[in-house]
Amino acid sequence: MKRNMDQWTKDLLEAPVKKAVPVLSFPSIQLLGITVKELINDSDLQARGMKAVADRTDAGAAVSLMDLSLEAECFGAPIRFSDDEVPTVTGPVISTEVEEDERMAQAEALAVPEIGAGRTQIYIDAIGKVMDMIEDRPVFAGVIGPFSLAGRLLDVTQSLIYCYEEPDMVHVVLEKCTQFIIKYIQEYKKVGANGVVIAESLAGLLSPALAQEFSGDYCKRIVEAVRDESFAVIFHNCGNTANITLESMFSNGANAYHFGNAVDMAEIMEKAPADIICMGNVDPAGEFRNGTPESIRAKTLEVMENCCKNKNFVISSGCDIPPLSSWDNIDAFFAAVDEFYARG
């Protein structure tokens, strides 16, 4: 269903009662009785999973899988799959064992994949299918951010070092990652998605100066290339330096910004301009996966009590909710949101 997403953003900002917008998709395996491996390889199951989550919850948006291995796989990265966990990248594409000039040569030779490579077409098809199934809320696809993708191609730890020691090579990789991400998001637009969540998690480890150069400038290009009146961007950063790189983040022009539990959400709200929507940040592992209904209720209410005095705050999970998170905990999260707003 096509929507005016600029109006959605404005309405969300002004609404006195805001529906939660957690990154909730992988726990659909429990509702469907399937494995993660089955989910990530079948567009019908992904669409049915998103619909099952929408039917179960009163979330303010439906959010697709945050599978941060997907784009790296297209570039040739090796991936580890399992039945119960989200896929992960197990090694770099650009070798860490060669000399600097050879690494630059590998970066320059890196081909920008065609859309449809790897499992990308499955995920695109899933969004196309679910658009006919969910009509009561916006549907967001998910993609990785440019530095987070580059980090997986270069090796996450080494990529941070390369920003200092081999910046030109990092920029070569980032340019290709950015081209691919823009093309990928444009395909989601073509099949009707209302928006996209860009997960730029690795940028949360960069200093403010490096964050702008190696993430912020590229993210701004992506947002400018894809955002319009009918297509929104939610920008996600779950790193522990997000609180000191806000200027870089907010300059990219997204509709809303999503934060992980590594930062104090109340501090983020103190620093954020009142007209910029910020979402977060109940711990996905500590609470959704390993907490109890009682503990997640308490934590959700705590975050809301600290942050909801700001009209631009929307309660959410801190990141992607793990596949085997208890649905008792997920239900308790939504119940706590209702409880908070029922207080008036």
Side-chain angles (χ1 to χ4, degrees):
M1 176 179 174
K2 188 171 183 178
R3 297 172 181 270
N4 184 322
M5 295 304 292
D6 283 349
Q7 187 63 47
W8 175 83
T9 305
K10 181 179 178 181
D11 291 345
L12 182 60
L13 181 65
E14 297 298 331
V17 175
K18 303 184 195 315
K19 293 184 178 182
V21 184
V23 184
L24 173 58
S25 55
F26 274 107
S28 66
I29 64 170
Q30 300 175 63
L31 302 178
L32 300 183
I34 60 174
T35 65
V36 170
K37 193 177 296 185
E38 290 172 319
L39 182 68
I40 64 173
N41 285 293
D42 190 313
S43 62
D44 287 329
L45 291 177
Q46 289 183 27
R48 285 174 51 203
M50 292 183 69
K51 173 61 174 172
V53 170
D55 289 344
R56 175 80 174 234
T57 71
D58 190 31
V63 181
S64 184
L65 306 181
M66 190 179 281
D67 178 354
L68 303 188
S69 72
L70 187 73
E71 295 88 348
E73 182 184 18
C74 295
F75 279 90
I79 312 295
R80 181 174 63 245
F81 301 97
S82 74
D83 287 340
D84 299 331
E85 300 294 336
V86 177
T88 56
V89 176
T90 60
V93 173
I94 306 297
S95 176
T96 60
E97 305 298 325
V98 298
E99 296 297 323
E100 182 175 333
D101 57 348
E102 175 60 22
R103 204 156 27 245
M104 174 61 91
Q106 290 182 9
E108 291 174 340
L110 193 65
V112 178
E114 294 297 322
I115 300 304
R119 290 171 287 126
T120 52
Q121 194 61 52
I122 294 173
Y123 283 56
I124 294 165
D125 291 344
I127 293 297
K129 292 172 181 178
V130 83
M131 295 308 301
D132 295 325
M133 301 166 67
I134 299 176
E135 297 186 342
D136 64 342
R137 67 199 74 180
V139 173
F140 284 83
V143 301
I144 197 170
F147 187 70
S148 300
L149 175 53
R152 284 159 174 78
L153 303 182
L154 294 167
D155 179 85
V156 168
T157 301
Q158 285 297 124
S159 67
L160 302 173
I161 298 171
Y162 292 150
C163 289
Y164 291 99
E165 297 184 350
E166 301 177 40
D168 291 344
M169 184 273 294
V170 177
H171 282 299
V172 170
V173 176
L174 277 166
E175 178 62 36
K176 296 182 179 187
C177 291
T178 300
Q179 292 176 23
F180 178 71
I181 292 167
I182 289 172
K183 291 197 302 179
Y184 190 23
I185 296 174
Q186 288 171 339
E187 289 302 310
Y188 279 129
K189 290 184 70 172
K190 289 178 183 178
V191 298
N194 302 122
V196 67
V197 178
I198 300 177
E200 183 66 320
S201 309
L202 191 57
L205 300 178
L206 295 170
S207 68
L210 292 180
Q212 186 63 50
E213 178 181 354
F214 293 99
S215 175
D217 292 344
Y218 292 96
C219 289
K220 185 174 183 179
R221 279 177 53 190
I222 293 170
V223 175
E224 290 177 344
V226 301
R227 181 185 171 182
D228 57 34
E229 182 182 80
S230 62
F231 193 85
V233 175
I234 297 175
F235 182 81
H236 167 79
N237 181 320
C238 61
N240 59 9
T241 66
N243 61 329
I244 60 172
T245 58
L246 292 177
E247 183 177 352
S248 171
M249 292 174 61
F250 292 156
S251 69
N252 69 35
N255 296 71
Y257 298 84
H258 191 278
F259 295 87
N261 55 287
V263 294
D264 180 351
M265 199 69 215
E267 179 185 352
I268 298 295
M269 300 314 302
E270 289 175 2
K271 295 179 176 179
D275 60 345
I276 291 181
I277 295 172
C278 297
M279 303 176 172
N281 72 340
V282 178
D283 188 346
E287 292 297 342
F288 284 96
R289 178 66 178 90
N290 297 312
T292 65
E294 293 76 21
S295 71
I296 199 170
R297 170 186 174 273
K299 189 61 180 179
T300 302
L301 291 174
E302 177 188 331
V303 174
M304 296 186 76
E305 287 161 1
N306 290 336
C307 299
C308 280
K309 59 181 177 288
N310 302 279
K311 73 170 189 175
N312 54 326
F313 174 71
V314 177
I315 187 68
S316 180
S317 56
C319 194
D320 192 21
I321 298 175
L324 295 184
S325 299
S326 165
W327 270 96
D328 289 341
N329 291 349
I330 296 169
D331 291 340
F333 165 78
F334 283 99
V337 176
D338 291 340
E339 177 186 344
F340 178 87
Y341 283 119
R343 296 174 180 177

